[in-house]
Amino acid sequence: MPLSEQEQRLLDEMERHLMRNDADVVSAPRGGRTLSYRNIVYGTILVLLGLGGLIVGVSQQLIVVGVIGFVVMLGGVLLAVTPGRGPGKVSVEPDRPAKPQNSSSFMDRMNDRWDKRQGER
């Protein structure tokens, strides 16, 4: 069943609003710090080495080796989730100017439209 003209306009407006909000989320500044791929790779390698050390320590009943393996794994995870410190990070700015906000929110207007439409029936 095709959409009515009013429904199509409402859907188009909702899509535009969603795209605008998604662009805002993507371009939101994160303090200039993002995850570094280098840290993720090094952290993953450390986790794998630590896991190997933990398995060797448990299988050979060497508690010290197992504990060291666990500590290496923990350090690898911390390294992987640590943000990078490079000035080469570029923040993405939205390419359209911000619209002045109305006194009511988008959802309030949609709810008002829905209530009006339900009242017509």
Side-chain angles (χ1 to χ4, degrees), residues 45-66:
I45 292 171
L46 281 177
V47 167
L48 292 175
L49 289 175
L51 182 62
L54 181 64
I55 291 172
V56 167
V58 169
S59 66
Q60 299 296 320
Q61 297 180 354
L62 299 171
I63 295 173
V64 174
V65 174

Side-chain angles (χ1 to χ4, degrees), residues 67-87:
V67 170
I68 291 173
F70 179 77
V71 170
V72 169
M73 281 177 32
L74 183 63
V77 169
L78 290 176
L79 178 64
V81 299
T82 301
R85 296 184 212 105

Side-chain angles (χ1 to χ4, degrees), residues 33-54:
R33 302 184 77 180
T34 60
L35 290 180
S36 167
Y37 291 114
R38 181 185 302 172
N39 286 355
I40 293 172
V41 170
Y42 290 156
T44 303
I45 292 171
L46 281 177
V47 167
L48 292 175
L49 289 175
L51 182 62
L54 181 64

Side-chain angles (χ1 to χ4, degrees), residues 7 11 22 29 31 44 52 65 110:
E7 290 170 335
L11 181 62
D22 282 348
T44 303
V65 174
M110 292 299 110

